[in-house]
């Protein structure tokens, strides 16, 4: 189901605050310059100061796979690939080469995507402080617009790459999606225009077919140039006019047809199964109105979107509550307004549910339909609406506080949607005022009028997706229709909302005090509290409405007795599943209405702690929640039984997915079959004792004096101090520090090879090669690892992907760790045709030997250097960056910031080669491949 980008959530704050507008017409933000050249090309240009000295360049095209004839299926996507293989101003692979020399990384800052209705190309986070870079970026867009060479040899080379992309992506999910779309779009071209296309077309289309498709559809009247960033708008507009005006518009251009989705009087039912699908999924669509461009210009459109979002939030809250009841019929479910599946129009109210057990689809579907009937017959309650309105306005206020910190991509998304789908683009000031006034005057009757329209006997579509398994009963179309008719005619009572007044925390804990204060690195201040808790904080202005909080303590699972390990495997799932204090998960969600409070706890091998984020206004609520997590995790047997049932459902069918076999095999080998490394299977699940799991969690969090807290963001120290003293200073403490135990759970020494075979619907070999060993944990080694993995990624892309056409992409990863000992892992992973497995494995090892014997190309070293410097400078203006820097410094004693750019700039090819010798010469190699049975 295609997710809709809800425009009002992403609308950004402009710097213009006064608008003269016609009544009922949504005004266009005057801070974006929009123009149309004589040849029909549209452009959007906006100055945005954050991030400084960066800009994004996009070309959006109203061209997608929907325009393909039957013999062209796959050409739209193929053409996207070819745009990176030679243009009039960038011959061969020089386009990627030229940009990577400037630190613009292919796949990260340079990319594209093809969908059914459009194609979008992008250059993001471009450093526009460099001379000529704007001209280069615009020249790339210019060439994509109409000057791609489509060299015949390049076309033939690309056929293999796209075959391997199809092989990698042709998962069970992809297969059932394609079958479902074919079933629910009878009589429409949407039924069979998935962008990847048909491999018989990809393998055999004549060169001229692609050239004709390109000439026919890549033209200025179907294109928009979008530039947002720290740029001179007038200057960029002049450059666009000078560069793009000479692109000719073909005589008698083919009309860009919009394709219909026929209405249906009788329900359409799609039933799709696959041997590798792991869970059942049921959806119900109610196709609604077809919106024209003119209708989207009216304020009624915004009012409708707001009401739809409120209905969505309230309906999903009800479904959330059902999922948390004893013995619920589904794992999760919900609804949303958006496009109908992959089509832009018509719009639809879409409901979805994942049954709790693959055999219980009837009960899950019946519950889903009855809940929809309930809101249609009785509507929502005043209390539900007030909570939904509070959350919505809270979201807008948060955006308002960040009006001058919006990223370029936020604006880009708006303008792409405006060009491709006619979505309005007002300034945020107008939007905020409109939303505030609308919510203030909105009546429950208006919402319930919309809810009453969400039931119909026409334009209904049902989809069932499930495992193809003899043990699982697949319903018939007749059975699904029967459940629908029975459900819509069922006797239903109105929903009763629990409005019992609850609060997060009753009595405040006994207040502690700050006993010591000292300055730390990177502008942090450290407080030591009377209970031993350490707090390091730093005030920043990167975001006005953000504070990030984290904490850690040594110990983790390493301090848990071996007999309790089964229960420890579920700590991260079960610790907060019952809520905190006297509040269940459902209660907690209601109590936190309108608050920006997010937290996740963890207990890993050697540490425990949490990661959280909040806003300055909700800082006290965040600390109250932290206090309750440490002192009062709530036990809820009903929640545990539901969790265990859901987990069992997933385990029963997880073996259907071939990739699960690969993951389990790797995990077992990497842990060297250590007795403390337990595979999570059905036997392990049955050994979990919920009370013991919560007890283990309490043990790990019982001594707050062993914890260090980190706080970064827009903090008011004077206001923060009493909250810190109360809620962190009031935490229980034994004033003792713990250390983790090193149980020697390390990858095996020597060479381990494991090649196994599995039945697969799409034959492919998945290959993983892992090197491991010991190495000092230092900033220089961390940087050298980044160089090594990036250079090998470039090399493997050139050889395995481009030259051999043997894989859609090779993933190269490497990392260093400090605890429990200093070590490294280096991994190369890719999918390929089974016939090419042995050949490409030799390539992997050959290039690893080459980089040990010979220095890497200086050009590749320079590319990596520029990218690392560019990326680092972008990160330094975020709270999360400094949070990670101070944590690493505090935990591991390593400064990853101060000398970063100096060391990056000093790396030479010989240093990379020597580093490769240092890690690869240890000859600890794990080679695993999963292959299809004959």
């Amino acid at each position: 189901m295609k997710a809709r980008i809800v425009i009002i959530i992403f609308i950004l704050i402009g710097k213009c605050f006064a608008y003269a507008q016609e009544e009922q017409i949504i005004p266009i933000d005057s801070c974006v310059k929009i123009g149309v050249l004589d040849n029909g090309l549209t452009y959007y240009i906006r100055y945005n100061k954050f991030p400084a000295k960066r800009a994004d360049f996009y070309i959006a095209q109203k061209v997608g796979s929907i325009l393909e004839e039957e013999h062209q299926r796959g050409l739209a996507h193929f053409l996207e690939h070819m745009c990176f293989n030679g243009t009039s101003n960038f011959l061969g692979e020089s386009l990627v080469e030229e940009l990577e020399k400037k630190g613009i990384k292919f796949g990260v800052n340079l990319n594209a995507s093809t969908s059914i209705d459009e194609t979008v190309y992008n250059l993001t986070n471009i450093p526009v402080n460099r001379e000529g870079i704007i001209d280069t970026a615009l020249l790339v867009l210019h060439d994509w617009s109409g000057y791609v060479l489509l060299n015949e040899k390049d076309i033939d080379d690309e056929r293999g790459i796209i075959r391997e992309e199809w092989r990698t992506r042709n998962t069970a999910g992809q297969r059932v999606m394609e079958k479902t779309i074919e079933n629910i779009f009878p009589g429409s071209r949407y039924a069979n225009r998935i962008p990847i296309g048909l491999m018989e077309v990809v393998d055999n289309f004549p060169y001229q077919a692609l050239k004709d498709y390109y000439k026919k559809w890549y033209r200025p009247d179907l294109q928009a140039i979008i530039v947002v960033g720290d740029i001179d708008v007038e200057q960029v507009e002049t450059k666009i006019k000078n560069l793009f005006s000479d692109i000719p518009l073909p005589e008698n251009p083919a009309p860009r047809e919009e394709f219909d989705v026929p209405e249906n009087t009788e329900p359409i039912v799609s039933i799709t199964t696959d041997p590798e699908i792991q869970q059942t999924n049921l959806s119900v669509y109610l196709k609604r109105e077809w919106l024209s461009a003119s209708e989207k210009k009216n304020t009624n459109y915004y009012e409708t979107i707001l009401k739809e979002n409120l209905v969505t939030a309230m309906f999903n809250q009800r479904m959330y509550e059902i999922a948390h009841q004893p013995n619920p019929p589904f794992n999760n479910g919900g609804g949303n307004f958006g496009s109908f599946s992959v089509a832009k129009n018509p719009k639809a109210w879409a409901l979805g549910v994942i049954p709790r057990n693959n055999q219980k689809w009837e009960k899950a579907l019946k519950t889903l339909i009855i809940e929809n009937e309930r809101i249609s017959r009785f509507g929502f309650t005043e209390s539900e609406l007030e909570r939904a309105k509070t959350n919505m306005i809270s979201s807008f206020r948060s955006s308002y506080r960040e009006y001058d910190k919006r990223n370029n991509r936020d604006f880009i998304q708006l303008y792409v949607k405006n060009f491709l789908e006619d979505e309005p683009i007002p300034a945020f000031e107008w939007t905020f005022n409109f939303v505030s006034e609308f919510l203030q005057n909105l009546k429950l009757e208006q919402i319930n009028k919309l809810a009453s329209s969400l039931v119909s006997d026409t334009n209904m579509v049902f989809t069932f997706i499930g495992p193809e398994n003899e043990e699982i009963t697949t319903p018939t179309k007749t059975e699904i229709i029967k459940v629908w008719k029975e459900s819509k005619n069922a006797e239903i009572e109105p929903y009763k909302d629990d409005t019992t007044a609850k609060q997060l925390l009753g009595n405040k804990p006994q207040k502690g005090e700050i006993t010591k204060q000292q300055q730390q690195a990177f502008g942090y201040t450290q407080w030591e509290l009377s209970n031993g808790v350490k707090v390091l904080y730093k005030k920043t202005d990167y975001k006005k409405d953000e504070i990030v909080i984290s904490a850690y303590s040594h110990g983790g699972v390493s301090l848990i007795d071996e007999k309790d390990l089964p229960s420890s495997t579920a700590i991260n799932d079960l610790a907060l599943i019952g809520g905190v204090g006297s509040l269940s998960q459902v209660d907690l969600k209601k109590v936190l209405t309108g608050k920006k409070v997010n937290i996740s706890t963890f207990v890993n091998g050697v540490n425990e702690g949490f990661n959280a984020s909040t806003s300055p206004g909700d800082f006290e609520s965040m600390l109250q929640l932290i206090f309750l997590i440490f002192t009062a995790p709530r036990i809820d047997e009903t929640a545990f039984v539901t969790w265990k049932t859901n987990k069992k459902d997933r385990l029963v069918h997880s073996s259907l997915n071939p990739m699960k076999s690969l993951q389990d095999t790797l995990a077992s080998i990497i842990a060297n079959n250590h007795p403390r490394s337990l595979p999570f299977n059905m036997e392990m699940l049955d050994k979990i004792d919920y009370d013991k799991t919560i007890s283990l969690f309490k043990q790990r969090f019982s001594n707050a004096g062993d914890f260090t807290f980190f706080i970064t963001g827009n903090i008011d120290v004077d206001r923060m101090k009493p909250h810190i003293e109360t809620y962190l200073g009031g935490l229980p403490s034994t004033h003792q520090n713990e250390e983790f135990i090193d149980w020697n759970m390390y990858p095996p020494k020597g060479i381990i090879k494991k090649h196994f075979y599995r039945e697969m619907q799409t034959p492919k070999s998945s290959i993983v090669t892992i090197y491991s060993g010991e190495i000092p944990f230092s900033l220089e080694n961390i940087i050298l690892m980044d160089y090594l993995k990036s250079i090998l990624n470039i090399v493997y892309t050139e050889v395995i992907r481009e030259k051999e056409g043997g894989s859609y992409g090779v993933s190269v990863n490497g990392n260093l760790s400090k605890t429990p000992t200093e070590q490294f892992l280096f991994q190369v992973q890719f999918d390929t045709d089974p016939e090419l497995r042995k050949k490409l494995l030799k390539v992997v090892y050959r290039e690893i030997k080459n980089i040990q014997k010979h220095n890497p190309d200086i050009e590749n070293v320079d590319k990596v250097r520029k990218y690392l410097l560019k990326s680092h400078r972008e990160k330094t203006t975020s709270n999360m960056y400094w949070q990670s820097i101070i944590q690493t410094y505090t935990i591991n004693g390593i400064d990853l910031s101060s000398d970063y750019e100096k060391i990056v700039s000093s790396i030479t090819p010989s240093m990379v080669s020597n580093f490769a010798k240092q890690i690869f010469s240890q000859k600890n190699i794990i080679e695993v491949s999963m292959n299809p049975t004959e």
Side-chain angles (χ1 to χ4, degrees):
M1 183 168 48
K2 182 181 178 182
R4 176 178 62 166
I5 297 180
V6 182
I7 295 298
I8 60 166
I9 300 301
F10 294 101
I11 287 183
L12 313 168
I13 301 173
K15 47 186 179 175
C16 306
F17 299 101
Y19 301 94
Q21 57 177 297
E22 295 179 18
E23 188 176 1
Q24 300 300 319
I25 298 298
I26 300 174
I28 295 174
D29 184 356
S30 62
C31 297
V32 55
K33 173 156 283 191
I34 306 174
V36 181
L37 302 182
D38 292 340
N39 58 9
L41 183 137
T42 304
Y43 60 83
Y44 300 75
I45 312 169
R46 183 189 183 109
Y47 167 77
N48 183 42
K49 66 181 181 180
F50 184 82
K53 301 178 182 179
R54 294 288 186 270
D56 286 6
F57 299 78
Y58 276 60
I59 179 170
Q61 315 208 55
K62 296 179 180 179
V63 181
S65 55
I66 195 71
L67 298 176
E68 298 166 348
E69 301 297 335
E70 186 65 23
H71 66 281
Q72 298 174 321
R73 288 175 62 183
L75 293 194
H77 173 251
F78 202 107
L79 188 52
E80 174 211 312
H81 278 237
M82 293 306 299
C83 285
F84 298 91
N85 284 311
T87 68
S88 60
N89 287 290
F90 300 93
L91 302 180
E93 298 176 357
S94 64
L95 188 151
V96 175
E97 290 281 335
E98 180 70 21
L99 293 173
E100 288 199 329
K101 289 177 183 178
K102 296 175 171 61
I104 302 165
K105 190 173 183 179
F106 179 62
V108 178
N109 309 122
L110 174 65
N111 216 329
S113 64
T114 303
S115 63
I116 291 180
D117 280 299
E118 64 260 353
T119 307
V120 179
Y121 298 81
N122 63 272
L123 293 88
T124 58
N125 285 333
I126 306 305
V128 292
N129 55 316
R130 299 180 183 180
E131 187 68 29
I133 191 68
I134 293 178
D135 294 323
T136 300
L138 290 175
L139 188 59
V140 171
L141 301 186
H142 166 271
D143 280 13
W144 282 338
S145 172
Y147 298 94
V148 179
L149 295 180
L150 302 178
N151 179 279
E152 294 178 0
K153 181 182 181 303
D154 293 335
I155 290 174
D156 285 337
D157 289 343
E158 204 67 29
R159 295 183 201 265
I161 296 171
I162 292 178
R163 280 196 304 271
E164 293 310 313
E165 179 179 359
W166 169 85
R167 192 187 309 278
T168 295
R169 293 188 174 183
N170 197 40
T171 60
Q174 177 74 13
R175 291 191 295 272
V176 295
M177 184 266 286
E178 291 186 23
K179 292 177 185 176
T180 300
I181 289 172
E182 186 175 348
N183 293 338
I184 67 177
F185 284 98
S188 171
R189 187 175 284 196
Y190 281 104
N192 47 28
R193 286 299 182 273
I194 298 301
I196 195 68
L198 300 176
M199 289 307 101
E200 53 263 36
V201 173
V202 169
D203 288 340
N204 301 301
F205 70 82
Y207 307 125
Q208 193 60 42
L210 187 63
K211 296 175 181 179
D212 290 344
Y213 186 89
Y214 179 61
K215 183 177 180 180
K216 180 178 181 179
W217 294 118
Y218 274 48
R219 58 183 207 238
D221 62 313
L222 298 178
Q223 297 171 333
I225 302 300
I226 306 169
V227 182
V228 176
D230 191 0
I231 44 95
D232 183 318
V233 172
E234 301 298 328
Q235 182 188 67
V236 171
E237 182 181 37
T238 300
K239 290 178 182 292
I240 289 175
K241 288 179 177 179
N242 292 339
L243 187 60
F244 290 87
S245 292
D246 66 347
I247 299 175
L249 178 65
E251 293 184 14
N252 302 316
R256 200 322 187 168
E257 184 181 353
E258 296 291 337
F259 294 88
D260 292 335
V261 176
E263 294 189 357
N264 56 289
T265 54
E266 295 297 321
I268 295 172
V269 181
S270 170
I271 297 172
T272 310
T273 61
D274 190 278
E276 294 174 5
I277 280 287
Q278 299 176 63
Q279 64 183 15
T280 300
N281 192 309
L282 289 139
S283 296
V284 183
Y285 297 92
L286 171 61
K287 292 187 286 187
R288 293 169 62 80
E289 70 279 6
W290 183 295
L291 292 177
S292 66
S294 60
E295 289 175 298
K296 291 184 177 182
K297 295 178 180 179
N298 196 294
T299 51
N300 287 337
Y301 175 60
Y302 259 17
E303 291 177 358
T304 299
I305 288 178
L306 290 167
K307 288 186 286 188
E308 287 177 348
N309 278 285
L310 290 168
V311 167
T312 298
M314 291 185 288
F315 180 80
N316 289 343
Q317 174 62 26
R318 289 191 183 182
M319 296 294 286
Y320 177 83
E321 292 178 14
I322 294 173
H324 285 77
Q325 291 174 357
N327 194 29
F330 51 77
N331 295 340
N332 56 65
N336 76 288
F337 291 91
S339 301
F340 171 50
S341 185
V342 295
K344 289 193 299 184
N345 266 313
K347 302 303 177 184
W349 168 237
L351 306 170
V353 66
I354 298 175
R356 187 179 176 193
N357 184 296
N358 283 317
Q359 298 280 19
K360 304 292 185 182
W361 68 267
E362 302 100 325
K363 190 173 182 181
L365 180 59
K366 185 175 182 179
T367 303
L368 180 68
I369 296 172
I370 285 177
E371 287 311 307
N372 194 54
E373 283 285 340
R374 197 186 313 275
I375 65 169
S376 178
R377 295 184 198 179
F378 306 109
F380 296 97
T381 67
E382 289 284 1
S383 54
E384 288 179 289
L385 179 58
E386 284 307 308
R387 286 196 301 271
K389 287 164 66 173
T390 298
N391 283 329
M392 180 176 286
I393 199 63
S394 175
S395 175
F396 272 94
R397 283 178 180 150
S398 180
S399 295
Y400 181 81
R401 297 184 187 110
E402 306 292 357
Y403 77 94
D404 59 345
K405 300 290 186 181
R406 304 305 296 185
N407 193 278
N408 294 331
R409 190 169 298 181
D410 295 330
F411 290 105
I412 290 280
Q413 289 175 343
L414 290 173
Y415 305 149
V416 168
K417 286 290 181 182
N418 177 259
F419 177 69
L420 296 175
E421 300 182 22
D422 302 301
E423 294 290 351
I425 46 173
F428 186 82
E429 185 71 12
W430 180 91
T431 306
F432 184 75
N433 291 335
F434 179 86
V435 172
S436 299
E437 182 178 355
F438 176 80
L439 292 180
Q440 183 178 357
N441 297 316
L442 179 66
K443 304 299 182 184
L444 181 63
E445 304 84 66
Q446 295 172 268
I447 286 291
N448 287 341
K449 182 179 179 181
L450 172 59
S452 68
S453 71
L454 300 181
V455 169
S456 174
D457 290 337
T458 62
N459 285 317
M460 294 286 292
V461 177
F462 296 85
T463 69
F464 174 95
I465 292 172
E468 187 177 303
N469 191 308
E470 293 181 356
E471 298 178 1
I472 298 174
T473 302
T474 301
T476 64
K477 294 182 180 181
T478 301
E479 289 172 331
I480 287 178
I481 294 298
K482 180 182 178 183
V483 170
W484 168 55
K485 289 182 178 180
E486 290 176 351
S487 302
K488 73 173 186 171
N489 294 317
E491 293 186 10
I492 304 173
E493 296 293 326
Y495 170 82
K496 294 181 180 180
D497 188 25
D498 180 4
T499 57
T500 306
K502 296 181 176 72
Q503 56 183 341
L504 186 57
L505 183 65
N507 298 324
K508 291 184 178 182
Q510 184 175 349
K511 184 178 179 180
E513 60 181 15
I514 298 170
T515 59
K516 186 177 181 181
Q517 175 175 315
Q518 63 186 88
Q519 295 304 118
Q520 293 287 2
F522 317 114
Y524 279 83
T525 300
Q526 177 174 304
W527 287 337
E528 187 167 333
L529 306 182
S530 51
N531 59 354
V533 167
K534 294 181 178 64
V535 178
L536 284 86
Y537 69 87
K538 176 186 176 79
K539 178 176 175 58
T540 71
D541 60 359
Y542 303 130
K543 285 194 172 184
K544 296 179 181 177
D545 201 48
E546 180 181 81
I547 299 174
V548 294
I549 310 172
S550 60
Y552 89 97
S553 168
H554 283 318
V557 177
S558 76
L559 299 186
I560 293 176
D561 290 339
E562 190 169 326
K563 63 181 175 61
D564 295 329
L565 288 178
S567 295
S568 77
T569 61
I571 285 182
N572 294 328
D573 281 354
L574 297 180
L576 303 181
I577 199 170
V580 292
S582 62
L583 302 173
S584 68
Q585 283 280 9
V586 172
D587 294 332
L588 188 60
K589 192 173 181 181
K590 290 182 178 181
V591 168
L592 294 175
T593 295
K595 296 184 181 295
K596 187 177 178 181
V597 175
N598 303 293
I599 188 168
S600 62
T601 61
F602 64 85
V603 179
N604 60 29
V606 295
N607 292 316
E608 55 270 339
F610 67 81
N611 294 296
S613 64
T614 188
S615 66
D618 297 323
F619 184 74
E620 183 178 10
S621 295
M622 183 78 257
L623 292 191
Q624 288 179 342
L625 181 57
I626 291 170
F627 178 84
L628 287 171
I629 288 172
F630 270 78
T631 61
R634 181 176 177 272
I635 289 179
D636 187 331
E637 290 292 343
T638 296
F640 170 67
V641 171
T642 299
W643 172 87
K644 187 173 182 179
T645 302
N646 294 344
K647 207 73 170 177
K648 187 171 291 186
D649 287 348
R650 288 194 289 271
L651 283 172
V652 166
H653 301 289
S654 63
S655 61
L656 298 175
N657 184 355
M659 294 308 295
K660 181 68 165 56
S661 298
L662 181 63
Q663 293 164 3
D664 290 347
T665 301
L666 283 171
S668 176
I669 295 175
I670 290 174
N672 204 10
N673 296 306
H674 195 283
R676 292 183 67 89
S677 174
L678 305 175
F680 195 86
N681 51 28
M682 199 67 74
E683 181 183 1
M684 182 64 62
L685 180 64
D686 289 336
K687 290 180 180 179
I688 293 174
D689 181 325
Y690 180 39
D691 289 337
K692 172 57 69 175
T693 299
I694 299 302
S695 174
L696 293 173
F697 178 80
K698 289 179 177 179
Q699 287 177 23
R700 301 314 319 138
F701 283 79
S702 62
N703 175 24
D706 196 23
F707 276 78
T708 301
F709 292 76
F710 304 92
I711 305 174
T712 309
N714 184 21
I715 56 178
D716 182 325
V717 178
D718 291 336
R719 292 181 62 186
M720 177 182 75
K721 182 178 178 180
H723 298 322
I724 294 288
E725 291 176 321
T726 299
Y727 302 110
L728 299 189
L731 287 170
S733 171
T734 65
H735 295 275
Q736 294 179 344
N737 293 327
E738 293 179 310
E739 287 296 331
F740 59 81
I741 298 174
D742 182 359
W743 293 100
N744 296 309
M745 294 175 59
Y746 303 118
K749 300 290 184 180
I751 299 175
I752 306 294
K753 293 188 177 184
K754 173 75 172 179
H755 302 277
F756 65 98
Y757 298 84
R758 269 216 44 159
E759 288 188 8
M760 300 180 190
Q761 296 302 299
T762 302
K764 70 176 179 180
S765 287
S766 296
I767 301 165
V768 184
T769 304
I770 299 174
Y771 288 79
S772 64
E774 299 175 356
I775 195 168
F777 186 85
S778 68
L779 177 56
E780 182 173 296
N781 282 341
I782 291 171
I783 290 171
L784 282 167
M785 180 64 85
D786 285 340
Y787 267 90
L788 179 61
K789 68 184 181 184
S790 297
I791 289 170
L792 280 176
N793 184 272
I794 293 171
V795 171
Y796 289 139
T797 298
E798 291 173 351
V799 179
I800 293 179
R801 175 182 159 121
E802 301 296 336
K803 182 179 178 181
E804 300 289 345
S807 179
Y808 178 52
V810 180
S811 172
V812 185
N813 288 294
N815 63 78
L816 279 65
S817 59
K818 175 77 170 179
T819 54
T821 189
E822 296 181 318
Q823 57 185 327
F824 74 89
L825 281 179
F826 188 92
Q827 177 175 304
V828 180
Q829 181 172 354
F830 62 95
D831 294 335
T832 189
D833 185 332
E835 297 294 324
L836 297 175
R837 173 176 66 90
K838 293 181 180 179
K839 178 182 180 180
L840 297 184
L841 254 175
K842 290 179 181 179
V843 173
V844 169
Y845 291 123
R846 183 190 73 203
E847 296 304 331
I848 285 175
K849 288 180 180 178
N850 282 343
I851 204 167
Q852 295 177 75
K853 292 180 179 180
H854 309 289
N855 293 341
D857 290 345
I858 185 65
E859 284 191 358
N860 287 342
V861 174
D862 286 340
K863 288 178 188 177
V864 176
R865 176 182 297 111
K866 288 185 171 65
Y867 174 74
L868 291 178
L869 291 173
K870 169 182 170 293
S871 179
H872 180 256
R873 289 162 188 164
E874 292 165 359
K875 293 175 183 176
T876 57
T877 56
S878 75
N879 292 321
M880 287 304 301
Y881 171 81
W882 291 108
Q883 189 88 336
S884 67
I885 290 297
I886 189 62
Q887 284 186 199
T888 303
Y889 182 76
T890 305
I891 298 171
N892 297 321
I894 300 293
D895 179 352
L896 296 182
S897 180
S898 301
D899 293 330
Y900 183 87
E901 294 193 7
K902 178 182 176 182
I903 295 176
V904 167
S905 300
S906 71
I907 300 300
T908 63
S910 62
M911 293 171 68
V912 177
S913 182
N914 289 334
F915 181 76
K917 293 174 189 174
Q918 186 179 0
I919 66 170
F920 295 135
S921 64
Q922 298 184 40
K923 296 183 179 179
N924 300 318
I925 307 171
I926 299 170
E927 177 186 296
V928 176
S929 71
M930 180 177 67
N931 309 285
T933 54
E934 294 295 332

